[in-house]
Amino acid sequence: MDSIIIQKFGGTSVKNTERIFNVANIIAESYQKGYHVLAVVSAQGDHTDELLAKANEINPKANLRSKDLLLSTGEATSAALVAMALEKLGLPAIPLMGWQCGVETDTHYGSAHIKRINTERVLSEFAKGNIVVMAGFQGVNIFNDITTLGRGASDTSAVAMAAALKAEICQIYTDVDGVFTTDPRIVPNAKKLDFITYDEMLELATLGANVLHNRSVEIAKKYHINLEVLSSITRKQGTIVQEIVSADKSPVRGVAKDEDIARISIIGVPDIPGIAFKIFSKLSSKNINVDIILQSIGRNGTKDISFTVVKSNLDTTLGLLKDYITIIGASNIVTDCNVAKVSIVGAGMEFQPGVASKMFEALYQNDINIQMISTSEIKVTVLVNKENANQAIRAIHAAFF
Ligand code: ASP
Ligand code: MG
């Protein structure tokens, strides 16, 4: 058999020596079945956070290039250790950095995008019969400098390698049994999903479910990668992410929460054409992504415009708008960080009426106020008070599952 398998192991799966040998055994099994194995590893446990803390201790304003070099060492450490464990099991393994595996990126340090993958080195290692253990989360740019791909992006390294190598399957090993209907820490009887579509997974990943890096799902969808999320510890059948999933009883596949957002309201905006354009083009010129937008009906010649941004963009957004709102004639700007986005996602809701109202009913019965609403074909998102978020999730989950 000449098939290629990609096996990605997250931080908890390689957090200590015991877990590293557990991972080595999983890799060994695939190798003994005759697969060419590319294992992609994350930094051990909280290693990335520790490296970041260390950087901040020395210089919080440090150059992003230096930061990326530092962060890339977390994954390098894991790759070397896993390769050593495989060697100890008597297997031929070679650890490689992202750049050695041909991962070429753009120059956006800290959140670089993969532009091209040169698979030559990996294929030559496979030809020699070697297992490749690759440091995830990183690549190299045109200046030959090391870049990282964004927090949680080892998933993206794995899926991108799967696409480039035309792998038979890409397995994402984590510390839970797969993708759940919602966070089991909030709803203990949340169910593991056997299947989920790329589109549903993409929405869930974007709306706050922390299972997969959202860019990894985009790539998986684009290249039809056979993707499975499963536990390295229990090794039960996980969740398969694929194009089409047979209809099941619930139109909702999952419920997600995102607390990393802030609401901004511009009060007393003149009720004339062009105002929304002026405000949002100002923000897009600085690459600020605006999420839910709500505009009130004009009254007495003015209206209010509210929208949400990720918390890390709040200061920049306020900096851009503080003086600008007086220029456009608005009276005042207020912000609220004490909010959370709660979303339901499911491809089935497109064809089933009453899904949104069922969600709103669950919130009403729990006396939870909705501040904003936004919808697409396969999702409904509401903005609520942060203190209400977990209760909202429990109520909504109970209504649909
Ligand atoms: N180690 C990196 C992080 O913690 C990348 C990853 O784990 O996927 O974000
Ligand atoms: Mg992750």
Side-chain angles (χ1 to χ4, degrees), residues 8-11 41-49 52 71 74-75 136-138 148-157 213:
K8 182 259 170 178
F9 300 95
V41 291
S42 288
Q44 293 184 280
D46 298 326
H47 195 183
T48 306
D49 290 328
L52 269 175
L71 291 188
E75 271 66 16
F137 173 58
Q138 55 183 273
T148 65
L149 311 178
R151 296 305 307 266
S154 292
D155 299 334
T156 298
S157 306
H213 192 243

Side-chain angles (χ1 to χ4, degrees), residues 36 43 55 129 155 174 184 203 214 218 231 235 266 288 303 313 334:
H36 291 305
D155 299 334
T174 175
E203 288 285 9
N214 62 353
E218 280 170 17
S231 160
R235 306 202 54 196
I266 306 175
I288 292 173
K303 60 193 174 191
N313 278 337
V334 290

Side-chain angles (χ1 to χ4, degrees), residues 38-98:
L38 175 78
V40 178
V41 291
S42 288
Q44 293 184 280
D46 298 326
H47 195 183
T48 306
D49 290 328
E50 288 157 17
L51 289 170
L52 269 175
K54 220 171 259 181
N56 283 335
E57 212 176 288
I58 289 172
N59 178 2
K61 295 217 163 76
N63 192 300
L64 292 177
R65 183 188 172 281
S66 307
K67 235 181 192 170
D68 271 9
L69 179 62
L70 178 71
L71 291 188
S72 72
T73 64
E75 271 66 16
T77 304
S78 293
L81 294 175
V82 169
M84 289 174 194
L86 285 163
E87 188 188 333
K88 186 135 184 209
L89 300 181
L91 297 171
I94 176 149
L96 296 175
M97 301 285 282

Side-chain angles (χ1 to χ4, degrees), residues 330-351:
S331 55
N332 147 29
I333 185 164
V334 290
T335 62
D336 187 356
C337 285
N338 194 35
V339 290
K341 227 162 61 172
V342 173
S343 308
I344 54 174
V345 170
M349 69 174 69
E350 203 179 341
F351 311 104

Side-chain angles (χ1 to χ4, degrees), residues 117-316:
I117 295 177
N118 178 349
T119 55
E120 233 168 86
R121 174 71 187 270
V122 174
L123 290 175
S124 81
E125 297 301 335
F126 285 165
K128 286 184 245 167
N130 285 332
I131 296 168
V132 177
V133 187
M134 166 182 166
F137 173 58
Q138 55 183 273
V140 65
N141 64 20
I142 42 164
F143 308 120
N144 252 343
D145 289 331
I146 287 178
T147 51
T148 65
L149 311 178
R151 296 305 307 266
S154 292
D155 299 334
T156 298
S157 306
V159 177
M161 291 306 290
L165 292 163
K166 301 193 170 53
E168 184 182 308
I169 181 161
C170 180
Q171 295 180 319
I172 307 285
Y173 283 91
T174 175
D175 57 349
V176 290
D177 285 336
V179 181
F180 281 72
T181 48
T182 194
D183 187 341
R185 285 167 302 184
I186 302 172
V187 181
N189 68 347
K191 274 193 328 201
K192 190 214 85 192
L193 298 163
D194 292 333
F195 299 96
I196 188 168
T197 68
Y198 294 124
D199 289 330
E200 291 169 333
M201 193 62 243
L202 191 56
E203 288 285 9
L204 283 176
T206 312
L207 293 167
N210 263 328
V211 236
L212 284 175
H213 192 243
N214 62 353
R215 213 172 314 134
S216 73
V217 189
E218 280 170 17
I219 298 172
K221 178 178 161 67
K222 184 164 173 194
Y223 295 97
H224 301 277
I225 304 297
N226 255 320
L227 192 61
E228 181 180 5
V229 180
L230 70 172
S231 160
S232 63
I233 297 133
T234 68
R235 306 202 54 196
K236 287 192 228 158
Q237 168 89 50
T239 302
I240 309 274
V241 190
Q242 58 186 28
E243 187 65 45
I244 297 171
V245 169
S246 65
D248 77 45
K249 283 161 281 135
S250 175
V252 173
R253 194 83 60 192
V255 187
K257 174 176 80 166
D258 186 358
E259 296 186 338
D260 185 28
I261 55 165
R263 180 172 59 81
I264 297 173
S265 300
I266 306 175
I267 313 290
V269 183
D271 191 17
I272 51 171
I275 294 288
F277 163 69
K278 284 183 183 157
I279 294 171
F280 294 117
S281 60
K282 187 106 190 153
L283 299 179
S284 77
S285 73
K286 286 281 181 281
N287 272 327
I288 292 173
N289 240 326
V290 171
D291 197 14
I292 318 178
I293 301 175
L294 186 77
Q295 177 178 295
S296 69
I297 302 256
R299 214 182 317 118
N300 302 328
T302 67
K303 60 193 174 191
D304 303 337
I305 294 180
S306 302
F307 56 91
T308 59
V309 295
V310 297
K311 272 189 188 142
S312 57
N313 278 337
L314 180 60
D315 287 345
T316 323

